[in-house]
Amino acid sequence: MPSKLQYVCALDAIVRRGLHPAKRRMLLSHYKAPERTVTMAMMAKAAGYRTYSAANLQYGRLAVDIAKYGEFAFPDRRFAISATGWWGHLPPHPSGHFSFKMHDELAAAIEEVLARWLVARRGRILPDGTRMSTRAR
C-alpha cells in the first residue's frame, strides 16, 4: 500500500501541473463521503458528468497520475483505480452500484495537502513558500 508521503507528493505534483476541476470535485466528494465510500454514479454527479462511465474513466486517469507522481505501482495491477481505493468485500450500494472506499493513506494526504493549501491562500503565500504579489505591474 502506498504511504501518506507518496500520496502527498503525488497530489502536489498533480496540482502543480493542473488538476481539472471535475477531477478535484470527484476526489473531494470521495474524501468527504460517509466512511469515504462512494459509487461511480455519485462521483459522476459530483463532477457534473451524465453517466458513471465518464466518472470511472476520469477517476481512473486521476489514479494513473497519482500512482505515476507518487512513484508506486497500483495495489491491484489489473485496475489503475486501485491507486485511490478498493471495492473488494464491500456490500453493494442500495442502488446496485459497486461501493468504492478511499484508501486511508490517501485521505490522510488530502487532509495535509488541503490544510497547507488553505493556509497558503489565506496568507497569500503559495504552496512552494513564495509570497504572492498583490500589486499589479
Side-chain angles (χ1 to χ4, degrees):
M1 182 60 55
S3 70
K4 174 185 162 186
L5 179 59
Q6 286 174 295
Y7 280 119
V8 167
C9 291
L11 292 171
D12 282 340
I14 291 166
V15 168
R16 275 194 309 273
R17 286 165 175 77
L19 177 60
H20 190 277
K23 290 180 181 177
R24 186 190 76 240
R25 286 191 302 269
M26 286 191 292
L27 187 63
L28 291 178
S29 72
H30 197 181
Y31 168 76
K32 293 176 182 179
E35 297 184 37
R36 303 211 192 325
T37 303
V38 295
T39 66
M40 281 300 150
M42 293 171 173
M43 298 280 264
K45 184 175 181 180
Y49 297 130
R50 285 185 276 165
T51 66
Y52 73 87
S53 58
N56 196 23
L57 173 67
Q58 294 304 319
Y59 206 57
R61 287 182 174 167
L62 176 60
V64 167
D65 286 343
I66 288 172
K68 175 182 171 184
Y69 296 117
E71 298 181 353
F72 61 85
F74 308 128
D76 181 335
R77 295 189 188 280
R78 298 170 297 164
F79 301 102
I81 205 162
S82 68
T84 57
W86 57 278
W87 56 91
H89 307 293
L90 288 175
H93 188 266
S95 66
H97 291 269
F98 286 106
S99 295
F100 187 61
K101 182 168 176 54
M102 180 178 277
H103 292 307
D104 292 337
E105 295 81 1
L106 176 55
I110 290 170
E111 288 171 6
E112 179 178 319
V113 170
L114 280 177
R116 195 166 7 99
W117 291 338
L118 290 174
V119 168
R121 286 182 64 192
R122 287 188 191 127
R124 311 285 292 165
I125 298 171
L126 299 173
D128 67 0
T130 58
R131 186 161 297 278
M132 184 185 302
S133 174
T134 56
R135 295 186 335 198
R137 296 185 188 233

